[in-house]
Amino acid sequence: MAELKNLTKRSENYSQWYNELVVKADLAEQSAVRGCMVIKPYGYAIWEKMQRQLDDMFKATGHVNAYFPLLIPKSFLSREAEHVEGFAKECAVVTHYRLKNAEDGSGVVVDPAAKLEEELIIRPTSETIIWSTYKNWIQSYRDLPILCNQWANVLRWEMRTRLFLRTAEFLWQEGHTAHATREEAEQEAVRMLNVYADFAENYMAMPVIKGVKSETERFAGAIDTYTIEALMQDGKALQSGTSHFLGQNFAKAFDVQFLDKDNKLSYVWATSWGVSTRLMGALIMSHSDDNGLVLPPHLAPIQVVIIPIYKNQEQLAAISEKADSITAELRKRGISVKYDNADNKRPGFKFADYELKGVPVRLVIGGRDMENNTVEVMRRDTLEKETVSCDGITDYVAELLETIQKNIFEKARKFRDANIRCADSYDQFKEMIEEGGFILAHWDGTPETEARIKEETKATIRCIPDGFDTTPGVCMVTGKPSARRVLFARSY
Amino acid sequence: MAELKNLTKRSENYSQWYNELVVKADLAEQSAVRGCMVIKPYGYAIWEKMQRQLDDMFKATGHVNAYFPLLIPKSFLSREAEHVEGFAKECAVVTHYRLKNAEDGSGVVVDPAAKLEEELIIRPTSETIIWSTYKNWIQSYRDLPILCNQWANVLRWEMRTRLFLRTAEFLWQEGHTAHATREEAEQEAVRMLNVYADFAENYMAMPVIKGVKSETERFAGAIDTYTIEALMQDGKALQSGTSHFLGQNFAKAFDVQFLDKDNKLSYVWATSWGVSTRLMGALIMSHSDDNGLVLPPHLAPIQVVIIPIYKNQEQLAAISEKADSITAELRKRGISVKYDNADNKRPGFKFADYELKGVPVRLVIGGRDMENNTVEVMRRDTLEKETVSCDGITDYVAELLETIQKNIFEKARKFRDANIRCADSYDQFKEMIEEGGFILAHWDGTPETEARIKEETKATIRCIPDGFDTTPGVCMVTGKPSARRVLFARSY
């Protein structure tokens, strides 16, 4: 128990709190391979819930899953010029395909005879390999749209990594769609951003601001990058999902044309969109507290834990009977329940452990509860306890889970809203940025000014947000005209 | 339609029939990367159904999912001597982590400055990286058992590849468990083999023979490899799943010890077990015919297709209303239905296409059906048609799907059983092996005899099977004593 509880406080060192929490709550850990993480069973169970929900949402919007190769011929990367400039450089390169025994018996060495003619790259993202495939799938407008998604691992050779937030290998989904018209592709990119926003708010309980990226922050190869931006408790922004309108860039790079209804050849229009295990980091940092994780009920692998407190085996048997009946009733309602009657851990240890793991509702049944036909209910979000009658406990818990889901969202929304401020001068901006949060400010629209702000304040333009104040003004830095305020923050 | 139908017949060229079918039924195709396939949406939808079912069965037997790194330090592979000897040689080797622009502007080249100190291998299987992780998870008997599974891609540099059956990259699940005792680990290995057999027979409708591999055919690093072996329509065997009792080999290689209840340090006992997208090949070859795929209803992404035949829009509207009501009723029963009213394809084309794709049940509704309140029902397994009243059609179809599932299994089982024969001399064995099928024969138990049989007949020992004739005899090749008949076949 001592070990569970000595989590660094957020106020002391937020970054350390996060790193410790990820490990102590059994979510993930560093592996023997630099920058690559092991996602532990409890962490993976949360990711599986995210995956299942997102996958259902993708299918409900007409998408299908497929699988494309892990490896990409090196030459593919240079086909789309901006793409390769933008980020296809830091990646793992496969140069050989065989090992052999070392002559000195010391182990295995790379067989120099097994050198590839063309090196292969572990996918950092799959636009190139997918568009080289789509070329064969698309001849006529009848073959469109193609609405594919893939769940996959990708790898980018990051120099500074943090569990979930930035790892060399990570898991994600990447949607890649092909359309006959520009309008349809643009609508698709926006549709998927809305799916992400819906998922973030209604499942992760994480409020997000939708918007479009500046040219500098755009995905390499995209015409427009749409984004959802969330605010973490330390006042830094976290980009939580992006959806790209790719125009005809990849179709041109891979020569993907189709015969339209008028029998004319045109290049295909494209989108791509993705969210990754980075969402795990966002989830953790949005809600958790100094006692550990706070999970939204909609994504908690264990929604309810029941813990018995007993003096002897006879009492335990009676409590277990009651617990089993409550468990069965809750499961009928689709609620996931764990009854923890392990006798090698004390109740206090279990309490701390399930708090650390963010289980939304804890039920405790002791001797007095058995006499009074009650249970003690604790909700993880507020840590409030209440003694409740066993009659109607199923309804009570089901409602409480929804209440917690809403409360977590509202709390995060209030925090976020309280931390969106307008800066009207660069000095004011510099002060505000030290305090954290989102800042709405005027910008002259140039990459130069954007770069200067980033260098001087470490703040970036998170997006040109949907809504908010759209009146023109003057750039806080240069005094040049500004079309509207854009959203700045320091970010993960 | 012409294009759909010109599938090579199995009797003409089984191998070509398979290759064509995989592509024509939109299951998979070759990619731009040697030996790596693209799994197309229809093929992936079948794989997803397999995954979901297997995952449920793993969880029902107490397993949890996790995720371990794609890349493995080269030195890990040589820790377990037999493991590296056995198969860890033909694999993709990452030597560099960055590309840079070519000086001549011709694209990107590997940056020689970004050479890794130690090369990384793309996992051909994950025992080594997982046991290096388990070392940190296991201190005491209280940490055991660990029952982890991972869904992942793996890569083995195969020289001769075939879609699904043998590809460089493939998708699979790999279970890796850690136990306090030998008995518990052995039981786990057998338990998971039984899960695979259950899945093969009751979902894939594919009868399998369970058994244990000979020393030669054993997984490199295992004490025992259990296997399920299926018989394809061309008389060749296909190893469909394996479960390994690894003893303490990997625990010793990675120094994973635990304090037992008596406070004594012992090495941990291990199993690993896996099935892969190879099962897709097994599924296709077990049941399909010259018209295309035959899918067992339990794994068919579309279980029922409804096709209207109409003279005009008014008639189509009436048929659609009926079709919608049948669709809704079937879906309520958890049956997946597609109503194909696309007006740019003729009914004949649709019929051929859904036959090719193996949809188990086809309902056709035409003008006369509307008058008579009937539908025409065709079952894909036998191609039999029947006209059935719309009253009670839901029950009829639900039952028919189960009938088809059973019938496909029974057909495969009869074929398999008719092709298990005993050979009592090596000459007889050589004759029989040309005719295909499983052959039960006596073998002296030595790797030398096994190797000779393989060289001379291309047959291998598929397993020492559960059951069958266990009386001792004499080896058909050497005349030396044989403990019992073992199961031979040529195989994929």
Side-chain angles (χ1 to χ4, degrees):
Chain A
M1 187 171 164
E3 201 205 335
L4 291 179
K5 278 292 190 186
N6 68 0
L7 187 63
T8 296
K9 285 188 167 43
R10 287 165 295 171
S11 56
E12 284 169 19
N13 187 334
Y14 190 82
S15 173
Q16 193 174 325
W17 165 82
Y18 173 82
N19 294 342
E20 286 178 10
L21 179 53
V22 170
V23 172
K24 283 176 191 274
D26 275 339
L27 301 177
E29 63 184 35
Q30 299 292 353
S31 77
V33 182
R34 218 192 115 284
C36 295
M37 65 181 157
V38 172
I39 307 179
K40 298 184 78 175
Y42 191 62
Y44 201 84
I46 301 171
W47 176 243
E48 278 183 294
K49 292 207 86 165
M50 289 187 172
Q51 278 191 301
R52 183 71 65 97
Q53 181 55 38
L54 283 164
D55 198 68
D56 286 348
M57 293 167 98
F58 298 156
K59 283 176 178 155
T61 45
H63 301 85
V64 290
N65 288 326
Y67 188 77
F68 298 89
L70 170 72
L71 298 175
I72 299 179
K74 189 192 65 180
S75 61
F76 279 23
L77 294 184
S78 33
R79 294 263 201 112
E80 213 290 323
E82 285 183 31
H83 188 61
V84 68
E85 271 314 308
F87 78 85
K89 296 281 181 57
E90 307 292 325
C91 48
V93 187
V94 176
T95 56
H96 292 74
Y97 58 85
R98 195 188 306 131
L99 300 174
K100 62 173 190 176
N101 289 329
E103 284 177 15
D104 62 3
S106 66
V108 287
V109 293
V110 177
D111 183 348
K115 190 172 190 310
L116 289 169
E117 274 185 46
E118 180 182 2
E119 296 89 351
L120 298 166
I121 310 304
I122 296 180
R123 61 184 162 215
T125 180
S126 300
E127 277 78 6
T128 58
I129 189 82
I130 288 179
W131 279 87
S132 84
T133 306
Y134 282 178
K135 181 174 172 55
N136 303 318
W137 294 7
I138 300 169
Q139 276 87 42
S140 123
Y141 70 93
R142 287 188 198 87
D143 301 319
L144 297 171
I146 292 177
L147 304 172
C148 276
N149 175 61
Q150 119 169 320
W151 290 96
N153 51 346
V154 287
L155 199 142
R156 298 170 189 180
W157 206 272
E158 301 286 353
M159 281 300 148
R160 297 173 63 181
T161 63
R162 287 187 75 189
L163 292 169
F164 291 124
L165 295 171
R166 191 172 298 278
T167 50
E169 184 190 12
F170 56 90
L171 304 184
W172 78 346
Q173 60 68 218
E174 45 181 327
H176 294 272
T177 70
H179 305 266
T181 67
R182 178 184 184 112
E183 292 67 36
E184 202 184 296
E186 284 181 322
Q187 281 163 14
E188 168 76 5
V190 172
R191 178 183 305 120
M192 298 323 289
L193 190 79
N194 287 331
V195 165
Y196 290 155
D198 177 4
F199 174 76
E201 302 205 328
N202 295 311
Y203 293 86
M204 296 177 67
M206 181 176 80
V208 292
I209 293 175
K210 294 187 277 191
V212 64
K213 288 285 184 188
S214 66
E215 191 189 328
T216 308
E217 299 284 331
R218 199 179 280 161
F219 175 77
I223 306 291
D224 272 320
T225 288
Y226 300 95
T227 181
I228 51 171
E229 301 282 329
L231 191 65
M232 302 297 101
Q233 292 179 59
D234 62 347
K236 284 169 78 175
L238 192 145
Q239 174 183 305
S240 304
T242 50
S243 180
H244 316 293
F245 168 59
L246 302 172
Q248 298 173 309
N249 290 348
F250 286 93
K252 284 178 180 164
F254 289 89
D255 191 29
V256 187
Q257 299 188 70
F258 72 103
L259 275 177
D260 66 17
K261 287 185 182 171
D262 307 323
N263 230 23
K264 254 179 36 198
L265 265 182
S266 305
Y267 285 106
V268 176
W269 298 87
T271 82
S272 66
W273 29 275
V275 294
S276 73
T277 36
R278 195 167 208 233
L279 286 182
M280 291 287 296
L283 184 73
I284 296 161
M285 288 202 294
S286 290
H287 310 302
S288 301
D289 62 24
D290 294 346
N291 294 309
L293 281 182
V294 174
L295 292 177
H298 291 178
L299 294 177
I302 304 168
Q303 295 173 306
V304 177
V305 63
I306 307 180
I307 297 171
I309 298 185
Y310 53 95
K311 296 204 180 99
N312 52 49
Q313 288 302 315
E314 192 189 352
Q315 198 177 33
L316 175 62
I319 292 173
S320 293
E321 198 179 321
K322 175 135 270 175
D324 289 347
S325 120
I326 294 174
T327 299
E329 287 300 313
L330 288 170
R331 284 191 181 145
K332 261 193 223 159
R333 299 278 281 266
I335 295 168
S336 67
V337 187
K338 177 171 176 181
Y339 175 49
D340 187 349
N341 62 350
D343 60 4
N344 58 353
K345 289 169 193 154
R346 298 165 61 93
F349 179 92
K350 292 181 189 176
F351 293 176
D353 192 34
Y354 292 110
E355 278 175 38
L356 180 64
K357 295 228 164 84
V359 174
V361 172
R362 180 184 84 200
L363 305 184
V364 176
I365 311 178
R368 183 160 302 171
D369 291 308
M370 290 302 288
E371 281 167 28
N372 299 339
N373 191 36
T374 57
V375 290
E376 184 197 85
V377 181
M378 192 201 72
R379 48 187 285 188
R380 176 65 185 86
D381 59 337
T382 61
L383 298 173
E384 286 165 357
K385 284 185 228 170
E386 203 172 351
T387 296
V388 174
S389 164
C390 285
D391 301 331
I393 186 69
T394 317
D395 285 339
Y396 183 89
V397 169
E399 275 167 39
L400 181 58
L401 287 168
E402 287 310 305
T403 304
I404 294 171
Q405 179 78 28
K406 284 197 196 79
N407 181 56
I408 293 176
F409 177 76
E410 279 308 318
K411 193 175 162 195
R413 195 186 56 74
K414 274 184 202 148
F415 172 79
R416 194 269 317 265
D417 288 353
N419 284 284
I420 305 179
R421 294 180 294 170
C422 284
D424 290 312
S425 73
Y426 197 31
D427 283 341
Q428 192 185 17
F429 180 89
K430 285 175 179 167
E431 266 172 45
M432 283 181 176
I433 207 72
E434 292 300 328
E435 293 158 11
F438 285 126
I439 301 174
L440 289 162
H442 282 291
W443 158 63
D444 63 16
T446 66
E448 294 73 25
T449 305
E450 191 179 0
R452 181 179 156 194
I453 296 169
K454 185 175 177 181
E455 203 192 310
E456 293 176 353
T457 69
K458 294 183 193 138
T460 50
I461 298 176
R462 303 316 306 153
C463 65
I464 301 148
D466 279 10
F468 295 98
D469 184 357
T470 59
T471 41
V474 294
C475 175
M476 63 175 173
V477 180
T478 61
K480 289 183 190 161
S482 154
R484 57 161 298 175
R485 288 178 191 266
V486 300
L487 194 71
F488 288 90
R490 287 181 183 159
S491 77
Y492 279 93
Chain B
M1 187 171 165
E3 200 203 335
L4 291 180
K5 278 293 188 185
N6 68 1
L7 186 62
T8 296
K9 286 188 166 42
R10 286 165 296 171
S11 56
E12 283 169 18
N13 186 335
Y14 189 82
S15 173
Q16 194 174 325
W17 164 84
Y18 174 82
N19 294 342
E20 286 179 13
L21 179 53
V22 170
V23 172
K24 282 176 190 273
D26 276 339
L27 301 177
E29 64 185 35
Q30 298 292 353
S31 79
V33 183
R34 215 193 117 285
C36 294
M37 65 181 159
V38 172
I39 306 179
K40 299 184 77 174
Y42 192 61
Y44 201 83
I46 301 171
W47 176 242
E48 278 182 293
K49 292 208 84 166
M50 289 187 173
Q51 277 191 302
R52 182 70 66 98
Q53 181 55 39
L54 283 165
D55 199 68
D56 286 348
M57 293 168 98
F58 299 156
K59 284 176 177 153
T61 44
H63 301 85
V64 291
N65 288 325
Y67 187 77
F68 298 88
L70 171 70
L71 299 174
I72 299 179
K74 190 192 65 179
S75 60
F76 279 24
L77 294 184
S78 32
R79 293 264 200 111
E80 212 293 318
E82 285 182 30
H83 189 60
V84 68
E85 269 316 307
F87 78 87
K89 296 281 180 57
E90 306 291 325
C91 49
V93 187
V94 176
T95 56
H96 292 74
Y97 57 85
R98 195 188 304 132
L99 301 173
K100 61 173 190 175
N101 290 327
E103 283 177 15
D104 62 3
S106 65
V108 285
V109 293
V110 178
D111 183 348
K115 190 173 187 311
L116 289 169
E117 273 185 47
E118 180 182 1
E119 295 90 350
L120 298 167
I121 310 304
I122 297 180
R123 60 183 163 215
T125 181
S126 301
E127 277 77 7
T128 57
I129 189 82
I130 288 178
W131 278 88
S132 84
T133 307
Y134 281 179
K135 180 174 172 54
N136 303 319
W137 293 7
I138 300 169
Q139 275 87 41
S140 123
Y141 70 94
R142 287 190 198 83
D143 301 320
L144 297 171
I146 293 176
L147 304 172
C148 275
N149 175 62
Q150 117 168 323
W151 290 96
N153 51 347
V154 286
L155 199 141
R156 298 170 188 180
W157 207 272
E158 301 285 353
M159 281 301 147
R160 299 172 63 183
T161 64
R162 289 187 75 189
L163 292 169
F164 292 124
L165 295 173
R166 192 173 296 277
T167 50
E169 185 191 12
F170 56 92
L171 304 184
W172 79 346
Q173 59 69 216
E174 46 182 324
H176 294 272
T177 68
H179 306 265
T181 66
R182 178 183 185 114
E183 292 66 38
E184 202 185 295
E186 284 182 323
Q187 281 163 14
E188 168 76 6
V190 171
R191 178 183 303 120
M192 299 322 290
L193 191 80
N194 287 329
V195 165
Y196 289 155
D198 177 6
F199 175 75
E201 302 207 328
N202 296 311
Y203 293 86
M204 297 177 65
M206 181 175 80
V208 291
I209 293 175
K210 294 186 275 190
V212 64
K213 288 284 185 189
S214 66
E215 191 189 329
T216 309
E217 299 284 330
R218 200 179 280 162
F219 175 76
I223 305 291
D224 273 318
T225 287
Y226 300 93
T227 181
I228 51 171
E229 300 284 327
L231 191 66
M232 303 295 102
Q233 292 178 58
D234 63 347
K236 282 168 80 176
L238 193 146
Q239 175 182 307
S240 303
T242 48
S243 180
H244 314 294
F245 168 58
L246 301 172
Q248 297 174 311
N249 291 347
F250 286 92
K252 285 178 180 166
F254 289 89
D255 190 28
V256 188
Q257 300 188 67
F258 72 103
L259 274 177
D260 65 18
K261 287 187 181 168
D262 307 325
N263 229 23
K264 255 180 36 202
L265 267 182
S266 306
Y267 285 106
V268 176
W269 298 87
T271 81
S272 67
W273 29 274
V275 295
S276 73
T277 37
R278 193 163 209 235
L279 287 182
M280 291 288 295
L283 185 74
I284 296 161
M285 287 203 293
S286 290
H287 309 302
S288 302
D289 63 23
D290 293 346
N291 294 308
L293 281 182
V294 174
L295 292 177
H298 292 178
L299 294 177
I302 304 168
Q303 294 173 305
V304 177
V305 63
I306 307 179
I307 298 172
I309 298 185
Y310 53 95
K311 296 204 179 97
N312 51 48
Q313 287 302 315
E314 194 187 349
Q315 197 178 35
L316 175 61
I319 292 173
S320 292
E321 199 179 319
K322 173 136 273 176
D324 288 346
S325 118
I326 294 174
T327 299
E329 287 300 316
L330 288 171
R331 284 190 182 149
K332 260 192 224 157
R333 298 278 280 264
I335 295 167
S336 67
V337 187
K338 178 173 175 177
Y339 175 49
D340 187 349
N341 62 349
D343 60 4
N344 57 354
K345 288 169 194 155
R346 300 166 58 94
F349 178 92
K350 292 180 188 176
F351 293 176
D353 192 33
Y354 292 111
E355 279 176 36
L356 181 65
K357 296 229 165 83
V359 175
V361 171
R362 181 183 83 199
L363 305 183
V364 177
I365 311 178
R368 179 157 308 170
D369 290 309
M370 291 301 288
E371 283 167 25
N372 300 339
N373 191 36
T374 57
V375 291
E376 184 197 85
V377 181
M378 193 200 73
R379 51 188 282 187
R380 176 63 186 86
D381 59 336
T382 61
L383 299 172
E384 286 164 358
K385 286 185 227 171
E386 202 171 351
T387 298
V388 174
S389 164
C390 285
D391 301 332
I393 186 68
T394 317
D395 286 338
Y396 183 89
V397 168
E399 276 167 39
L400 181 57
L401 288 168
E402 288 308 306
T403 303
I404 293 170
Q405 179 78 29
K406 284 197 194 80
N407 182 56
I408 292 175
F409 176 76
E410 279 307 317
K411 195 176 160 193
R413 195 186 56 74
K414 276 183 199 147
F415 172 79
R416 196 269 314 264
D417 288 352
N419 284 284
I420 304 179
R421 292 182 294 171
C422 284
D424 290 313
S425 73
Y426 197 30
D427 282 342
Q428 192 186 16
F429 180 88
K430 285 175 179 167
E431 267 173 43
M432 283 181 176
I433 207 73
E434 291 301 327
E435 293 158 12
F438 284 126
I439 301 175
L440 288 162
H442 281 292
W443 159 61
D444 63 16
T446 67
E448 294 72 26
T449 304
E450 191 178 0
R452 182 177 155 194
I453 296 169
K454 185 174 177 181
E455 203 191 309
E456 292 176 353
T457 68
K458 292 181 193 142
T460 49
I461 298 176
R462 303 317 305 151
C463 64
I464 300 147
D466 279 9
F468 294 99
D469 184 357
T470 58
T471 40
V474 294
C475 176
M476 63 175 172
V477 180
T478 61
K480 287 183 192 162
S482 155
R484 57 160 297 172
R485 287 177 191 269
V486 300
L487 194 72
F488 288 89
R490 285 182 183 158
S491 77
Y492 281 92

